[in-house]
Amino acid sequence: MDRRDQSPGTGDRATGRPTAPEGLFGHGWAATDTAPRPVPGAAWAAKRRAAVSARFPGERVVVPSGGLKVRSNDFDYAFRPHSAFVHLTAEQGTGAVPDSVLVFEPTGAGHEVTLFVRPRSPRDPGAGSTELHRDPRHGEFWVGRRRTLAETADALGIGTDHRDRVEAALTARVPTRVVRGQDPLVDSLVPPSAADEELLTFLSELRLVKDAWEVEQLDSAVRHTVAGFHDVAGELSHAMRARRGERWIEGTFNRRARLEGHGLGFETIAAAGAHACALHWTRNDGPVRDGDLLLLDAGVEADSFYTGDVTRTLPVGGRFSDVQRRVYDLVFAAQSAGIAALRPGAPYGAFHDAATRVIAEGLDAWGLRPGGRHLPHGPALYRRYTVCGTGHMLGLDCHDCAAARDETYADGVLEAGHVLTVEPGLYFQPDDLTVPEELRGIGVRIEDDFVVTADGARCLSSGLPRDADGIEAWMSATRG
């Protein structure tokens, strides 16, 4: 890599940073400033900022983007800004700048909003001019061009200032709320208080009902996610020949995510055979064998940072065995019951209750009671085989709106504009002696994404089949 691969005498051999004379870079540059168009979604983000301003009159509100995180030594993970920051700026993919801070400063008429951001690396001689070529985290020679302050203001429709001036902006004594844990400097400048939690809750609940632009972004993210599943179905034969076939599956989907979006909404779960019984199997280091089931749980994160989240369980050889189909059909029936419960005004938990009721009745009919016949019948009895809930809100985070209050989320009611998943599953661990041997090591999950509408719900992931016959027909057609 360039950070290390330096010829003798050209730089610091421990860091790879060049040690050329400072005056070498301070002249001879063409003028390349631009006047960018507003980013998609900027007008919607302005409405959200207005809601924040109305909710916290007379108070300063501080929402950092977060910064780079070290992966190993001098290499960082790819930067992904905090979801509340994205929601209030509409910042896009690779345009996001680490260590940015959005500040709502109270005025008599509301708030003046300023984005403190690191601008393009300076090229003129003087303070900071060495960043261009000497700073491997932020220098333009190392990580590429950022927008100027004026370009950022034009793109996002927000007033801008240099990141270096954020400290001065936070020194005035004003009641202040902060999204904590994202920026050490900001955290050190403003003493924590219970008001911070209230801010985080409000920002999370502000994302519960998606506006029209957000639904468009989720439509796009899920459409690309569906395309990734089609890619995988077409490459199963390659995966079956690979020593780590799960990683072939993972790589196939991840290629689509990088091609069509910013990347992954979460680490891809490519779980073949008994690995499907681990709900968040992301090691993806096992083989993919004929006769196994493959559980693929994956999502493309769009350039706008909204993500899909879809799961299919596929028979690797193209057809379910009798026992695999029996499990699959029960999970499918449970998901269908959950989907039927999606409508505005219904309790949020209704779809979960409907799905788990079908699972419980089906397992009871099979004679499966993990605690024995002496325990009363009921859905909770089967958590040994189902483990988790049946869905969650979806948006900028895969598990979106996690800081919302129970009364507005888990104990609330569905509204038009809610976007959520329905994903029942059955997981029979390979060493579970409470189930017949033929069931051990079978894991099945089916997950689709829905937007609640005025009269029901629309499936965003309808480009994939759900039922067993449809899965088999799709796989047969994909293989030609």
Side-chain angles (χ1 to χ4, degrees):
M1 295 294 288
D2 290 339
R3 299 185 188 209
R4 301 283 185 177
D5 188 16
Q6 300 289 333
S7 300
T10 63
D12 182 330
R13 298 191 65 176
T15 65
R17 301 179 188 179
T19 56
E22 296 302 338
L24 188 65
F25 295 88
H27 65 280
W29 303 110
T32 57
D33 290 5
T34 64
R37 295 179 178 179
V39 300
W44 293 95
K47 295 178 182 179
R48 300 172 202 137
R49 294 195 298 274
V52 173
S53 180
R55 174 62 182 81
F56 301 107
E59 299 181 68
R60 179 188 293 136
V61 173
V62 185
V63 184
S65 70
L68 294 169
K69 296 179 174 61
V70 174
R71 182 186 184 277
S72 66
N73 192 24
D74 55 347
F75 289 92
D76 298 310
Y77 287 104
F79 176 62
R80 202 280 192 185
H82 191 281
S83 292
F85 177 88
V86 174
H87 197 233
L88 296 175
T89 62
E91 186 58 284
Q92 297 275 305
T94 55
V97 179
D99 305 317
S100 301
V101 184
L102 189 67
V103 177
F104 293 70
E105 189 67 25
T107 66
H111 289 83
E112 180 181 2
V113 183
T114 302
L115 178 60
F116 292 86
V117 61
R118 182 176 283 106
R120 185 182 187 187
S121 297
R123 292 166 180 255
D124 298 329
S129 62
T130 62
E131 176 193 282
L132 175 72
H133 61 283
R134 284 190 59 83
D135 188 337
R137 270 193 154 187
H138 306 296
E140 189 170 322
F141 274 29
W142 296 87
V143 298
R145 186 190 192 277
R146 293 185 298 274
R147 295 178 298 228
T148 67
L149 291 179
E151 289 169 350
T152 297
D154 289 343
L156 301 182
I158 305 172
T160 57
D161 203 344
H162 199 292
R163 156 73 196 199
D164 289 350
R165 289 189 277 276
V166 72
E167 183 171 359
L170 300 182
T171 55
R173 292 184 176 273
V174 177
T176 301
R177 298 173 186 260
V178 174
V179 174
R180 300 222 164 248
Q182 303 304 310
D183 192 302
L185 174 62
V186 171
D187 285 351
S188 70
L189 293 172
V190 183
S193 74
D196 297 332
E197 289 300 319
E198 188 178 13
L199 170 63
L200 191 62
T201 295
F202 175 80
L203 294 176
S204 194
E205 292 178 353
L206 190 61
R207 303 207 307 268
L208 277 168
V209 175
K210 271 58 179 179
D211 57 41
W213 185 80
E214 290 181 285
V215 173
E216 288 179 6
Q217 299 311 298
L218 285 160
D219 253 326
S220 177
V222 176
R223 184 171 64 254
H224 295 316
T225 299
V226 166
F229 276 74
H230 285 289
D231 295 342
V232 166
E235 297 218 1
L236 276 175
S237 59
H238 294 284
M240 292 168 66
R241 295 194 295 269
R243 179 174 63 88
R244 292 179 170 179
E246 291 175 342
R247 293 197 176 171
W248 189 282
I249 298 299
E250 175 187 2
T252 299
F253 184 87
N254 294 7
R255 181 178 65 239
R256 174 67 64 170
R258 289 291 284 167
L259 177 67
E260 303 288 2
H262 184 248
L264 298 172
F266 51 92
E267 289 300 307
T268 296
I269 298 168
H275 291 165
C277 299
L279 274 72
H280 287 172
W281 177 264
T282 56
R283 300 180 198 175
N284 301 341
D285 59 357
V288 175
R289 300 186 178 96
D290 191 7
D292 280 348
L293 295 178
L294 169 71
L295 189 156
L296 177 63
D297 187 338
V300 172
E301 181 178 79
D303 288 325
S304 58
F305 297 108
Y306 289 82
T307 185
D309 180 12
V310 175
T311 307
R312 286 296 183 270
T313 306
L314 312 177
V316 173
R319 298 188 65 83
F320 294 97
S321 70
D322 290 343
V323 66
Q324 289 170 347
R325 178 181 277 261
R326 181 156 59 104
V327 177
Y328 190 96
D329 285 347
L330 179 53
V331 175
F332 173 75
Q335 193 201 28
S336 298
I339 294 169
L342 297 178
R343 61 183 181 278
Y348 172 82
F351 75 93
H352 171 77
D353 293 343
T356 53
R357 189 177 307 113
V358 170
I359 292 283
E361 292 172 353
L363 293 179
D364 200 56
W366 293 358
L368 290 183
R369 285 201 176 188
R373 285 284 166 182
H374 64 282
L375 290 179
H377 174 269
L381 183 66
Y382 299 100
R383 291 303 291 269
R384 181 179 179 113
Y385 310 137
T386 59
V387 187
C388 63
T390 310
H392 52 81
M393 293 292 186
L394 183 68
L396 284 167
D397 293 333
C398 176
H399 297 162
D400 207 26
C401 312
R405 295 165 295 168
D406 285 346
E407 56 264 37
T408 63
Y409 187 168
D411 297 333
V413 298
L414 293 178
E415 298 181 44
H418 280 168
V419 178
L420 70 161
T421 72
V422 180
E423 53 168 327
L426 277 171
Y427 314 95
F428 299 115
Q429 301 299 326
D431 57 349
D432 191 342
L433 300 181
T434 69
V435 300
E437 185 174 1
E438 64 180 1
L439 292 176
R440 296 173 199 164
I442 293 180
V444 172
R445 179 163 68 250
I446 312 171
E447 179 181 24
D448 287 280
D449 304 336
F450 297 87
V451 56
V452 179
T453 62
D455 56 359
R458 175 170 66 90
C459 182
L460 304 178
S461 47
S462 59
L464 292 174
R466 290 196 307 117
D467 65 289
D469 287 341
I471 292 288
E472 291 182 347
W474 167 51
M475 294 185 68
S476 176
T478 301
R479 294 183 177 194

